[in-house]
Amino acid sequence: MKTSDMTKMTYRDAIRLGITEEMRLDRDVIFLGEDIGVYGGAFGVSKGLLEEFGEERILDTPISEGAIVGTAVGAATTGLRPVCEIMFMDFITLGLDALVNQGAKMRYMFGGQCRVPMVLRLPAGSGTGAAAQHSQSLEAWLCHVPGLKVVTPSTPAQAKGLIKAAIRDNNPVCFIEHKMLYDTVGLVPLDDEYTLEIGKTIVERPGKDVTIVAYGTTLAKAIEAAEFLDEEGIRVEILNPLTLYPMDMKPIIESVIKTGCLIVAHEAVKTGGVGGEIVARVVESEAFDYLTAPIIRLGGLDVPIPFNQELEAAAVPQRNDFVHGVYRLLNRE
Amino acid sequence: MIELSEELLLRMYYKMNQARYFEEKLDDLVAKGQVHGTVHLAIGQEASGVMACLALEEGDLVSLSHRGHAQAIGFGLDVNLMMAECLGKYTGYCKGKGGSMHIADLENGNLGANGVVGGGFNLSCGAALTQKYHQTGKVVLCFAGDGATNEGSFHESLNLASVWKLPVVFFIENNQYGMSNPIENHMNIENISDRSEAYNMPGLTIDGNDFLDVYNTVTKALRYARAGKGPVLIEAKTYRYSGHSKSDKQVYRDKREVQEWRKKDPVLKMKEYLRENRIFTEKQILKMEEEASLSIEQAVEFAKKSPQPQLNTILEDVYA
């Protein structure tokens, strides 16, 4: 794509642009959530949408996450394509029955009778100093539910491409946004048919010595580490599984076959995290025979996110964790 | 008073009997080990489930409770496909993947029975939102039991439906027990319909064993919701003769209580009404009963003869 067809914008604006384009293209797309109207959303993602689309399509809801998700499921099965904002991903706990027991299963348990085209936008992650109930990364829970799709963009372009694909998908898609990425800037395609296919892992940065799989803000830290290691002649290959579930493992397995070394990383707590699943699938695959060192899992500590800034930063993987991890794998420490 | 044509009365009585025979047969099949898993029977509650659905107009939608066979029959589902689903057969509504608890017919507006108590309230709001958004003029009838009104989803949904004036009628079948727990132990109010006041919507308590009371009340409620005035809450007081599910030994209630309710049996009450008003001859009444019974026998035969799902269907329909 030519850069002339792209423009610089924030991750926040890219999500909004994606939603706006889809709402212009399809009148059945509606948007519901808490404070998304006049207020513009807790993180400003829905700013201006009420003015363009009106109260009929931008629906400010009561503070009832169960009703938001359940209403979306009911609307989706009867012909609308709802997009929901759950103000903080932490609050998905209040809507899980509608998502897990209803939305995710209806198609299967009804023998394929229905489609549930809906998107749940879930602002996640730490770094805002909002402590234990406003900072979690709960994606692993969602990746345990067949019927759901779980995607997470790490750049503005990915945000636009994935939100559009999520809205067009005929299944419930959990769209995880990292709050610390909202103000990050990148080039975004302006084409209103630009989408990113759900279910594809991409190579963010080619290399040959060590494979790193990461997403969200952790991906940015991995890239920083890779740039640093580049100066020492170490070529790190970084993969970004844009779709966490069902995950496209092929590029990861191919990369591990090439490098023989693997680091998986995320902010979510290490125990029971998505990283463990990636590792399990790698060791189940032909890549097992190519491993030259034990795999490293970088994840959040098994603690609730603490309030204090230093403690908060210490609870999740940082750039230096990647640098030391790579050294360890290459016996340089 | 709403005028009832002979044709409608005939359909009402036929379906009441169909529902009764369907569940008696299912109970029998469970006892014989020919139906696995669990079933939740509504024997004794037929007037509420069947009549509420018969009040609907073409194109209206329903969300059924976990005790939903009578509701489904009232809504017009095919008893052959229902029975096949209860037996886990490929010809069933859900190709054998749902069973008794998840009978659905989306194409015709049945959003499905729900295995989660209170799981249908929010879904009904969503389906009602679609009707409002597309201006279809259709209404959603949402069934649930008394126990479900203690779930948060009940309160969230009634609030949302009221604020957004959604075309939905919440129909609560109060059968006096939440599984084993008698209603006086799980709510401190006389009538569940009182809960409507908190959400500023009409709330009505009716005799759920009286087919006319159910039919007339739901008809009026649907009219109200269809006119864009917002939701209505109806509580139909009734009783289930069977246990909560197949494993229930019913140690929590006195047999005499069941006998008392049997005197108010909804099917018998309707039969008496037909006799007293000389609407049909004894012969006609008997014929309807026989036809209803025969339809269930045929449904069992259809279900038994139907094929099992192929093992390779196990991965189908997880995603659209």
Side-chain angles (χ1 to χ4, degrees), chain A residues 23-247:
Chain A
M23 290 189 76
R24 285 177 188 157
L25 289 167
D26 184 351
R27 223 194 87 80
D28 283 337
V29 178
I30 58 163
F31 188 3
L32 56 160
E34 294 156 10
D35 307 293
I36 63 165
V38 177
Y39 193 96
F43 297 100
V45 173
S46 58
K47 223 174 200 156
L49 295 187
L50 179 66
E51 286 80 352
E52 176 166 357
F53 298 106
E55 283 178 356
E56 201 191 359
R57 296 182 72 191
I58 305 295
L59 295 140
D60 255 331
T61 67
I63 302 174
S64 307
E65 287 78 8
I68 294 171
V69 182
T71 297
V73 174
T77 51
T78 49
L80 297 181
R81 303 186 86 85
V83 177
C84 310
E85 177 171 305
I86 301 296
M87 193 183 286
F88 286 82
M89 184 185 204
D90 311 68
F91 309 157
I92 190 62
T93 50
L94 296 154
L96 275 181
D97 177 67
L99 184 66
V100 173
N101 285 326
Q102 313 294 338
K105 294 178 173 53
M106 282 173 91
R107 180 173 177 82
Y108 188 84
M109 78 186 172
F110 296 159
Q113 287 186 60
C114 62
R115 302 187 310 188
V116 191
M118 60 181 277
V119 179
L120 278 190
R121 288 187 37 241
L122 303 162
S126 67
T128 61
Q133 297 171 338
H134 292 73
S135 304
Q136 295 170 89
S137 300
L138 299 171
E139 63 270 20
W141 289 1
L142 305 172
C143 294
H144 203 63
V145 183
L148 297 183
K149 292 186 180 180
V150 183
V151 302
T152 188
S154 301
T155 67
Q158 290 168 7
K160 183 188 167 188
L162 277 179
I163 192 74
K164 286 168 69 72
I167 293 170
R168 293 180 187 194
D169 200 277
N170 285 323
N171 300 283
V173 181
C174 301
F175 183 89
I176 301 173
E177 309 165 6
H178 199 295
K179 286 167 293 203
M180 296 307 285
L181 293 175
Y182 280 133
D183 289 326
T184 59
V185 176
L187 283 172
V188 174
L190 290 174
D191 180 3
D192 68 2
E193 280 305 313
Y194 163 74
T195 61
L196 274 180
E197 191 182 343
I198 292 178
K200 287 277 176 234
T201 294
I202 59 167
V203 178
E204 287 279 356
R205 191 179 191 282
K208 61 177 179 52
D209 298 321
V210 173
T211 301
I212 293 178
V213 181
Y215 54 88
T217 48
T218 313
L219 173 67
K221 292 168 189 169
I223 291 171
E224 275 177 49
E227 282 165 1
F228 171 81
L229 290 163
D230 230 16
E231 290 171 21
E232 298 185 10
I234 300 170
R235 306 283 174 248
V236 174
E237 177 149 293
I238 299 178
L239 285 91
N240 174 5
L242 292 163
T243 300
L244 302 180
Y245 185 73
M247 195 184 288

Side-chain angles (χ1 to χ4, degrees), chain B residues 161-203:
Chain B
S162 176
V163 171
W164 288 358
K165 282 199 182 317
L166 295 177
V168 54
V169 173
F170 298 101
F171 188 91
I172 309 301
E173 294 182 306
N174 176 1
N175 66 14
Q176 317 299 323
Y177 289 89
M179 197 156 147
S180 70
N181 206 359
I183 192 159
E184 59 271 22
N185 286 357
H186 64 82
M187 57 183 77
N188 202 11
I189 47 174
E190 187 69 26
N191 296 317
I192 292 172
S193 63
D194 291 350
R195 293 188 161 171
S196 67
E197 279 180 39
Y199 306 105
N200 193 21
M201 69 173 77

Side-chain angles (χ1 to χ4, degrees), chain A residues 27-28 57 60 62 64 66-67 70-71 73-75 78 80 97 102 107-113 147-148 170-171 245, chain B residues 93-95 97-98 102 104-106 111 114 116 119 122-123 126-127 130 133-134 156 160 164 314 316-320:
Chain A
R27 223 194 87 80
D28 283 337
R57 296 182 72 191
D60 255 331
S64 307
T71 297
V73 174
T78 49
L80 297 181
D97 177 67
Q102 313 294 338
R107 180 173 177 82
Y108 188 84
M109 78 186 172
F110 296 159
Q113 287 186 60
L148 297 183
N170 285 323
N171 300 283
Y245 185 73
Chain B
Y93 271 107
C94 311
K95 299 180 183 168
K97 282 177 175 163
H102 302 299
D105 181 15
L106 272 294
L111 301 165
N114 211 306
V116 175
N122 289 320
L123 303 184
T130 304
Y133 187 79
H134 283 157
E156 288 194 16
L160 187 83
W164 288 358
I314 195 165
E316 282 175 8
D317 296 325
V318 179
Y319 294 99

